[in-house]
Amino acid sequence: MLITRPNHDVTTNYLYFWSQELINQAKKNNLKVVDLAKKRANAKEFNSVIKKIKPSLIVINGHGNGSSVAGYDDEPLVIAGQNEIILNKAIVYARSCKSAETLGPKSIKSGCKTYIGYDDDFVFVTEDNKLTKPLEDKTSEMFMEPSNYIVISLLKGHTTDDANQRSKKLFKHNIQKLTTSIATKEDNELIPYLVWDYSHQVCLGDPNAAI
């Protein structure tokens, strides 16, 4: 597994910390992990590692748009129409905004087995007093745990479609929790954002692929 974990702003720092669970799970399953953390999440190292070890699973955390995903300081790592061939034969999960809109389909055409990502923004809500301690942020956990579950499911041998559905089921569970009578007004305000991620999380390519 190759995973990128830039941490140059609040958003990527949250992804950086919440992705540690994925690294732990991979190592528990005796899967070799290359962790491109912090400044190592750059195009040169990303390309070098993929060419050298050809990872079966690539997990990308970072900012993105319809046609690209980025690493540290928003340096583009994969750009549609330029180097999506680098994802050839891999299963990819991109926790970034909009990349499943254009980059995802182009990657599949270039031989990527499955591309799981978001065809619009990936959003999550944070607590102001937990910005320096992301793992203690119970609000962000409502978003991070379901998105993490994609990779955890893949690491446990599930197919890409199954991993996507299991993640969505967890999103749905969190949504339902917030609709109970004991939920606060603040809780209710999270529902549209959880529904948004649930709705825009897509699985492209081979639904039966597994690592």
Side-chain angles (χ1 to χ4, degrees), residues 9 20 35 38 65 68 75 81-82 95 100 106 113 126 133 138 145 153 163 173 176 184 199 210:
D9 59 15
Q20 185 61 52
D35 176 21
K38 303 180 180 179
N65 56 44
S68 70
E75 179 187 8
Q82 288 190 26
R95 185 155 47 184
K106 278 189 172 289
K113 285 184 180 178
T126 61
K133 298 176 181 178
K138 293 298 180 184
E145 277 205 336
S153 298
H173 172 74
Q176 289 169 340
T184 65
S199 303

mmCIF file of all heavy atoms in Angstrom, residues 9 20 35 38 65 68 75 81-82 95 100 106 113 126 133 138 145 153 163 173 176 184 199 210:
data_model
loop_
_atom_site.group_PDB
_atom_site.id
_atom_site.type_symbol
_atom_site.label_atom_id
_atom_site.label_comp_id
_atom_site.label_asym_id
_atom_site.label_seq_id
_atom_site.Cartn_x
_atom_site.Cartn_y
_atom_site.Cartn_z
ATOM 1 N N ASP A 9 -1.891 22.146 5.934
ATOM 2 C CA ASP A 9 -2.953 23.035 6.400
ATOM 3 C C ASP A 9 -3.905 22.243 7.290
ATOM 4 O O ASP A 9 -3.691 21.056 7.536
ATOM 5 C CB ASP A 9 -3.686 23.703 5.217
ATOM 6 C CG ASP A 9 -4.325 22.705 4.266
ATOM 7 O OD1 ASP A 9 -4.473 21.519 4.632
ATOM 8 O OD2 ASP A 9 -4.684 23.107 3.147
ATOM 9 N N GLN A 20 -3.498 7.390 10.077
ATOM 10 C CA GLN A 20 -2.606 6.491 10.814
ATOM 11 C C GLN A 20 -3.280 5.144 11.078
ATOM 12 O O GLN A 20 -2.632 4.095 11.061
ATOM 13 C CB GLN A 20 -2.192 7.134 12.147
ATOM 14 C CG GLN A 20 -1.172 6.325 12.942
ATOM 15 C CD GLN A 20 0.144 6.127 12.192
ATOM 16 O OE1 GLN A 20 0.740 7.100 11.712
ATOM 17 N NE2 GLN A 20 0.597 4.875 12.075
ATOM 18 N N ASP A 35 4.733 5.067 3.332
ATOM 19 C CA ASP A 35 4.016 6.216 3.858
ATOM 20 C C ASP A 35 4.715 7.505 3.421
ATOM 21 O O ASP A 35 5.761 7.866 3.953
ATOM 22 C CB ASP A 35 3.982 6.097 5.390
ATOM 23 C CG ASP A 35 3.334 7.296 6.072
ATOM 24 O OD1 ASP A 35 2.561 8.013 5.395
ATOM 25 O OD2 ASP A 35 3.577 7.484 7.285
ATOM 26 N N LYS A 38 3.931 14.064 5.233
ATOM 27 C CA LYS A 38 4.405 15.443 5.275
ATOM 28 C C LYS A 38 5.017 15.846 3.923
ATOM 29 O O LYS A 38 4.416 15.638 2.878
ATOM 30 C CB LYS A 38 5.362 15.620 6.446
ATOM 31 C CG LYS A 38 4.728 15.252 7.783
ATOM 32 C CD LYS A 38 5.674 15.422 8.953
ATOM 33 C CE LYS A 38 4.998 15.042 10.258
ATOM 34 N NZ LYS A 38 5.895 15.170 11.425
ATOM 35 N N ASN A 65 -9.138 18.545 -7.490
ATOM 36 C CA ASN A 65 -10.210 19.133 -8.293
ATOM 37 C C ASN A 65 -10.648 18.081 -9.287
ATOM 38 O O ASN A 65 -10.224 16.922 -9.199
ATOM 39 C CB ASN A 65 -9.750 20.437 -8.970
ATOM 40 C CG ASN A 65 -8.505 20.247 -9.820
ATOM 41 O OD1 ASN A 65 -8.396 19.267 -10.571
ATOM 42 N ND2 ASN A 65 -7.562 21.172 -9.713
ATOM 43 N N SER A 68 -7.409 16.526 -11.018
ATOM 44 C CA SER A 68 -6.126 16.222 -10.380
ATOM 45 C C SER A 68 -6.259 15.995 -8.872
ATOM 46 O O SER A 68 -7.245 16.383 -8.249
ATOM 47 C CB SER A 68 -5.130 17.362 -10.622
ATOM 48 O OG SER A 68 -5.501 18.522 -9.900
ATOM 49 N N GLU A 75 0.989 20.462 -4.412
ATOM 50 C CA GLU A 75 1.695 20.077 -5.635
ATOM 51 C C GLU A 75 0.935 18.930 -6.309
ATOM 52 O O GLU A 75 0.687 17.903 -5.682
ATOM 53 C CB GLU A 75 3.118 19.612 -5.320
ATOM 54 C CG GLU A 75 3.878 19.169 -6.561
ATOM 55 C CD GLU A 75 5.240 18.550 -6.251
ATOM 56 O OE1 GLU A 75 5.552 18.325 -5.060
ATOM 57 O OE2 GLU A 75 5.971 18.277 -7.206
ATOM 58 N N GLY A 81 -5.036 13.415 -18.242
ATOM 59 C CA GLY A 81 -4.514 13.802 -19.544
ATOM 60 C C GLY A 81 -3.009 13.936 -19.578
ATOM 61 O O GLY A 81 -2.419 14.169 -20.638
ATOM 62 N N GLN A 82 -2.359 13.786 -18.414
ATOM 63 C CA GLN A 82 -0.893 13.887 -18.359
ATOM 64 C C GLN A 82 -0.232 12.596 -17.862
ATOM 65 O O GLN A 82 0.567 12.003 -18.557
ATOM 66 C CB GLN A 82 -0.475 15.059 -17.467
ATOM 67 C CG GLN A 82 -0.752 16.417 -18.096
ATOM 68 C CD GLN A 82 -0.116 17.558 -17.299
ATOM 69 O OE1 GLN A 82 0.876 17.380 -16.604
ATOM 70 N NE2 GLN A 82 -0.694 18.737 -17.403
ATOM 71 N N ARG A 95 -9.088 10.492 -1.202
ATOM 72 C CA ARG A 95 -9.886 11.301 -0.275
ATOM 73 C C ARG A 95 -9.543 12.758 -0.556
ATOM 74 O O ARG A 95 -8.743 13.399 0.120
ATOM 75 C CB ARG A 95 -9.575 10.897 1.170
ATOM 76 C CG ARG A 95 -10.444 11.600 2.194
ATOM 77 C CD ARG A 95 -10.605 10.842 3.500
ATOM 78 N NE ARG A 95 -9.367 10.332 4.043
ATOM 79 C CZ ARG A 95 -9.283 9.569 5.134
ATOM 80 N NH1 ARG A 95 -10.392 9.234 5.787
ATOM 81 N NH2 ARG A 95 -8.125 9.144 5.580
ATOM 82 N N ALA A 100 -12.999 12.258 -8.751
ATOM 83 C CA ALA A 100 -13.700 11.182 -9.464
ATOM 84 C C ALA A 100 -14.533 11.716 -10.625
ATOM 85 O O ALA A 100 -15.149 10.951 -11.362
ATOM 86 C CB ALA A 100 -14.581 10.389 -8.506
ATOM 87 N N LYS A 106 -10.789 8.846 -16.418
ATOM 88 C CA LYS A 106 -9.613 8.777 -17.287
ATOM 89 C C LYS A 106 -8.619 7.729 -16.773
ATOM 90 O O LYS A 106 -7.969 7.036 -17.555
ATOM 91 C CB LYS A 106 -8.930 10.148 -17.389
ATOM 92 C CG LYS A 106 -9.583 11.082 -18.408
ATOM 93 C CD LYS A 106 -8.758 12.335 -18.623
ATOM 94 C CE LYS A 106 -9.291 13.170 -19.779
ATOM 95 N NZ LYS A 106 -9.067 12.560 -21.093
ATOM 96 N N LYS A 113 -7.522 -0.295 -11.976
ATOM 97 C CA LYS A 113 -8.559 -1.311 -11.726
ATOM 98 C C LYS A 113 -9.852 -0.688 -11.213
ATOM 99 O O LYS A 113 -10.923 -0.896 -11.773
ATOM 100 C CB LYS A 113 -8.056 -2.339 -10.698
ATOM 101 C CG LYS A 113 -7.053 -3.332 -11.248
ATOM 102 C CD LYS A 113 -6.698 -4.344 -10.169
ATOM 103 C CE LYS A 113 -5.688 -5.355 -10.680
ATOM 104 N NZ LYS A 113 -5.302 -6.311 -9.614
ATOM 105 N N THR A 126 -15.291 20.311 11.621
ATOM 106 C CA THR A 126 -14.361 20.199 12.745
ATOM 107 C C THR A 126 -14.845 21.018 13.937
ATOM 108 O O THR A 126 -15.713 21.875 13.801
ATOM 109 C CB THR A 126 -12.957 20.695 12.347
ATOM 110 O OG1 THR A 126 -13.051 22.077 11.969
ATOM 111 C CG2 THR A 126 -12.394 19.895 11.189
ATOM 112 N N LYS A 133 -5.699 18.808 17.828
ATOM 113 C CA LYS A 133 -5.813 17.412 18.277
ATOM 114 C C LYS A 133 -6.907 16.711 17.472
ATOM 115 O O LYS A 133 -7.971 16.372 17.999
ATOM 116 C CB LYS A 133 -6.132 17.360 19.775
ATOM 117 C CG LYS A 133 -5.055 17.975 20.658
ATOM 118 C CD LYS A 133 -5.488 17.972 22.114
ATOM 119 C CE LYS A 133 -4.409 18.603 22.996
ATOM 120 N NZ LYS A 133 -4.827 18.660 24.426
ATOM 121 N N LYS A 138 -14.585 14.645 17.923
ATOM 122 C CA LYS A 138 -15.690 13.702 17.733
ATOM 123 C C LYS A 138 -16.585 14.085 16.553
ATOM 124 O O LYS A 138 -17.256 13.236 15.972
ATOM 125 C CB LYS A 138 -16.531 13.602 19.012
ATOM 126 C CG LYS A 138 -15.796 12.964 20.186
ATOM 127 C CD LYS A 138 -15.407 11.530 19.850
ATOM 128 C CE LYS A 138 -14.678 10.852 20.991
ATOM 129 N NZ LYS A 138 -14.213 9.485 20.606
ATOM 130 N N GLU A 145 -14.307 8.272 10.074
ATOM 131 C CA GLU A 145 -14.453 6.827 10.241
ATOM 132 C C GLU A 145 -15.095 6.148 9.033
ATOM 133 O O GLU A 145 -14.579 5.135 8.545
ATOM 134 C CB GLU A 145 -15.215 6.506 11.525
ATOM 135 C CG GLU A 145 -14.324 6.510 12.751
ATOM 136 C CD GLU A 145 -14.869 5.655 13.881
ATOM 137 O OE1 GLU A 145 -16.095 5.419 13.932
ATOM 138 O OE2 GLU A 145 -14.052 5.230 14.705
ATOM 139 N N SER A 153 -11.817 -1.943 4.850
ATOM 140 C CA SER A 153 -12.536 -3.056 4.214
ATOM 141 C C SER A 153 -11.693 -3.710 3.120
ATOM 142 O O SER A 153 -11.647 -4.937 3.006
ATOM 143 C CB SER A 153 -13.861 -2.566 3.625
ATOM 144 O OG SER A 153 -14.706 -2.070 4.639
ATOM 145 N N ALA A 163 -16.429 -2.589 -0.289
ATOM 146 C CA ALA A 163 -15.782 -1.588 0.577
ATOM 147 C C ALA A 163 -16.521 -0.256 0.500
ATOM 148 O O ALA A 163 -16.750 0.410 1.518
ATOM 149 C CB ALA A 163 -14.323 -1.420 0.172
ATOM 150 N N HIS A 173 -25.458 5.161 8.990
ATOM 151 C CA HIS A 173 -25.626 4.917 10.425
ATOM 152 C C HIS A 173 -25.433 6.217 11.215
ATOM 153 O O HIS A 173 -26.210 6.529 12.129
ATOM 154 C CB HIS A 173 -24.619 3.860 10.893
ATOM 155 C CG HIS A 173 -24.576 3.675 12.374
ATOM 156 N ND1 HIS A 173 -25.571 3.021 13.078
ATOM 157 C CD2 HIS A 173 -23.657 4.065 13.305
ATOM 158 C CE1 HIS A 173 -25.272 3.017 14.360
ATOM 159 N NE2 HIS A 173 -24.113 3.640 14.533
ATOM 160 N N GLN A 176 -28.398 8.511 10.677
ATOM 161 C CA GLN A 176 -29.566 8.071 11.450
ATOM 162 C C GLN A 176 -29.411 8.389 12.939
ATOM 163 O O GLN A 176 -30.374 8.742 13.613
ATOM 164 C CB GLN A 176 -29.788 6.571 11.237
ATOM 165 C CG GLN A 176 -30.307 6.252 9.842
ATOM 166 C CD GLN A 176 -30.295 4.774 9.511
ATOM 167 O OE1 GLN A 176 -29.576 3.985 10.139
ATOM 168 N NE2 GLN A 176 -31.082 4.385 8.524
ATOM 169 N N THR A 184 -28.855 17.035 19.296
ATOM 170 C CA THR A 184 -28.902 18.489 19.497
ATOM 171 C C THR A 184 -29.062 19.210 18.163
ATOM 172 O O THR A 184 -28.943 18.610 17.088
ATOM 173 C CB THR A 184 -27.606 18.974 20.167
ATOM 174 O OG1 THR A 184 -26.509 18.752 19.264
ATOM 175 C CG2 THR A 184 -27.348 18.235 21.470
ATOM 176 N N SER A 199 -23.581 10.781 -0.784
ATOM 177 C CA SER A 199 -24.120 10.879 -2.154
ATOM 178 C C SER A 199 -23.038 10.993 -3.217
ATOM 179 O O SER A 199 -23.225 10.522 -4.345
ATOM 180 C CB SER A 199 -25.055 12.086 -2.269
ATOM 181 O OG SER A 199 -26.098 12.006 -1.340
ATOM 182 N N ALA A 210 -10.049 -6.686 -5.883
ATOM 183 C CA ALA A 210 -9.642 -6.794 -4.485
ATOM 184 C C ALA A 210 -8.129 -6.875 -4.435
ATOM 185 O O ALA A 210 -7.478 -7.261 -5.409
ATOM 186 C CB ALA A 210 -10.270 -8.037 -3.837
#
